[in-house]
Amino acid sequence: MRIVFYEPENTFGQIRTGVLYDNKVIDVNEAYRSFLTYNEASASSADQLVPASVNDYLALGKAAFDRTKEAVSHAIEHQEDSVMLDRNLVTLKAPLKQGAKVICVGKNYRNHVSEMKSEIPDFPVLFAKFSNAMIGPEDQIQKSSKTNKLDYEGELALIIGKEASQVSRDKALDYVAGYTVGNDVSARDLQKRTPQWLQGKTLDHSTPIGPWMVTADEVPDPHDLTIKTTVNGEQRQYSNTRHFIFNIPYLIEFISSLITLQPGDVILTGTPDGVGFAMDPPQFLENGDQIKIEIEKIGILENDVRQ
């Protein structure tokens, strides 16, 4: 399933959960309510079992996904137009729970480490992004006046589906709810002026993710996905997740040994080579640039840059 978090037309701030199907958005809460009614069950339990809100829905993890499949199949089979919205009449928002931790991994592709003239790390390089930085697939990347070296980084992002603490590598993928596309936009001048990267990594309205979350069952091997990035139609990055230095089970084991992960938390798994900083001469993002990141089996994330 492609689970979306959307804002209906003329309902500013009311973000609901849906599933994308045939250029329609099926509202999962309403679809499950209809499913219960059809089966002569109490429709009042829909709000608890398949909540409309992003936070409540993601907190239920796999249980909510299983019920969603039932409801969506029922809505499609019975052609229930009342629970389906035209895709063009909604705004897609980031697949991100309010208050979620966004943990990023640096230096996770060998060729990227090489182009940045750095060293292969012995342990995953971790940093964080805060909620002020996170935007959705239909938002514009804000270019702060504080930077002249804004750069793109196309990345596979994973979303945690259940509480994870001290998770072993062999069980790690059981904790993944799904995958999405991320752009770890980085202000290189701010990032590199101190040993800590944070100031260059979490500027306001700078980091888009989306356009939806593809449930983990549809991505049986997240370590064989082509990833490519174009800027204004010019291909800049082209790689495959098989080139991770630290794969996803290792990352979940490592991170969960230090930090308890909650449903809805996001891990950005690192970017391949081809960033603007490493080009000769360097090519940084300017007002009006269009960045398109495509990951096989996941989708396309496309955002413009605005000063």
Side-chain angles (χ1 to χ4, degrees):
M1 291 186 297
R2 292 182 174 185
I3 296 175
V4 298
F5 302 103
Y6 74 95
E7 186 176 80
E9 192 176 39
N10 301 320
T11 57
F12 180 75
Q14 181 189 349
I15 301 175
R16 294 179 65 86
T17 306
V19 167
L20 191 67
Y21 170 77
D22 195 24
N23 209 36
K24 299 282 187 180
V25 172
I26 300 175
D27 186 284
V28 298
N29 174 257
E30 293 297 336
Y32 195 65
R33 190 182 308 279
S34 177
F35 170 78
L36 291 173
T37 300
Y38 181 85
N39 288 282
E40 299 181 347
S42 173
S44 62
S45 62
D47 290 338
Q48 288 74 46
L49 297 176
V50 184
S53 80
V54 177
N55 278 24
D56 293 341
Y57 184 84
L58 286 174
L60 292 178
K62 188 175 183 297
F65 302 160
D66 291 341
R67 298 183 193 113
T68 296
K69 287 180 182 178
E70 288 184 310
V72 167
S73 295
H74 178 268
I76 294 170
E77 180 183 352
H78 294 272
Q79 298 182 348
E80 294 190 340
D81 292 339
S82 62
V83 303
M84 300 184 185
L85 299 170
D86 190 303
R87 162 68 184 87
N88 297 320
L89 298 180
V90 305
T91 301
L92 298 188
K93 309 301 284 186
L96 186 69
K97 184 179 75 172
Q98 184 179 8
K101 297 186 286 295
V102 181
I103 299 171
C104 307
V105 182
K107 302 183 180 181
N108 202 27
Y109 287 79
R110 291 181 183 276
N111 286 346
H112 177 56
V113 173
S114 176
E115 72 174 356
M116 299 297 278
K117 298 179 173 54
S118 189
E119 301 293 330
I120 301 293
D122 294 326
F123 302 98
V125 177
L126 303 182
F127 58 95
K129 285 181 179 279
F130 302 137
S131 60
N132 64 291
M134 308 309 295
I135 59 175
E138 298 184 13
D139 296 325
Q140 295 177 328
I141 296 166
Q142 181 176 306
K143 183 179 184 296
S144 169
S145 60
K146 297 294 184 181
T147 179
N148 293 313
K149 295 182 177 181
L150 199 67
D151 205 354
Y152 53 86
E153 293 192 8
E155 305 195 10
L156 175 68
L158 65 90
I159 299 171
I160 295 296
K162 57 183 179 179
E163 183 175 301
S165 177
Q166 309 298 324
V167 173
S168 63
R169 212 171 305 182
D170 61 318
K171 302 289 187 183
L173 291 181
D174 294 342
Y175 289 79
V176 177
Y179 301 91
T180 190
V181 184
N183 187 354
D184 175 20
V185 173
S186 305
R188 300 297 188 191
D189 40 2
L190 306 184
Q191 174 189 354
K192 292 182 172 295
R193 67 183 180 181
T194 68
Q196 298 290 336
W197 295 356
L198 182 67
Q199 60 190 287
K201 290 287 192 175
T202 195
L203 292 172
D204 289 343
H205 310 293
S206 62
T207 304
I209 66 169
W212 41 66
M213 180 183 75
V214 176
T215 50
D217 60 306
E218 296 198 4
V219 189
D221 184 5
H223 304 104
D224 188 18
L225 302 174
T226 298
I227 177 170
K228 56 185 176 182
T229 303
T230 62
V231 178
N232 300 326
E234 176 192 2
Q235 184 170 288
R236 299 284 184 85
Q237 294 182 293
Y238 188 89
S239 190
N240 190 287
T241 55
R242 72 171 68 97
H243 300 304
F244 283 152
I245 295 172
F246 304 106
N247 67 18
I248 290 170
Y250 184 97
L251 291 173
I252 292 175
E253 179 183 71
F254 181 82
I255 295 169
S256 72
S257 73
L258 305 170
I259 304 165
T260 297
L261 298 170
Q262 299 292 344
D265 286 348
V266 175
I267 298 175
L268 284 163
T269 59
T271 198
D273 59 304
V275 298
F277 179 83
M279 296 178 69
D280 186 16
Q283 300 290 320
F284 296 111
L285 297 173
E286 300 292 346
N287 184 50
D289 283 349
Q290 297 176 315
I291 305 103
K292 178 179 176 182
I293 302 167
E294 182 173 0
I295 301 181
E296 183 182 3
K297 291 183 170 53
I298 311 297
I300 296 172
L301 176 65
E302 197 164 3
N303 301 86
D304 295 344
V305 178
R306 287 292 177 268
Q307 188 76 37

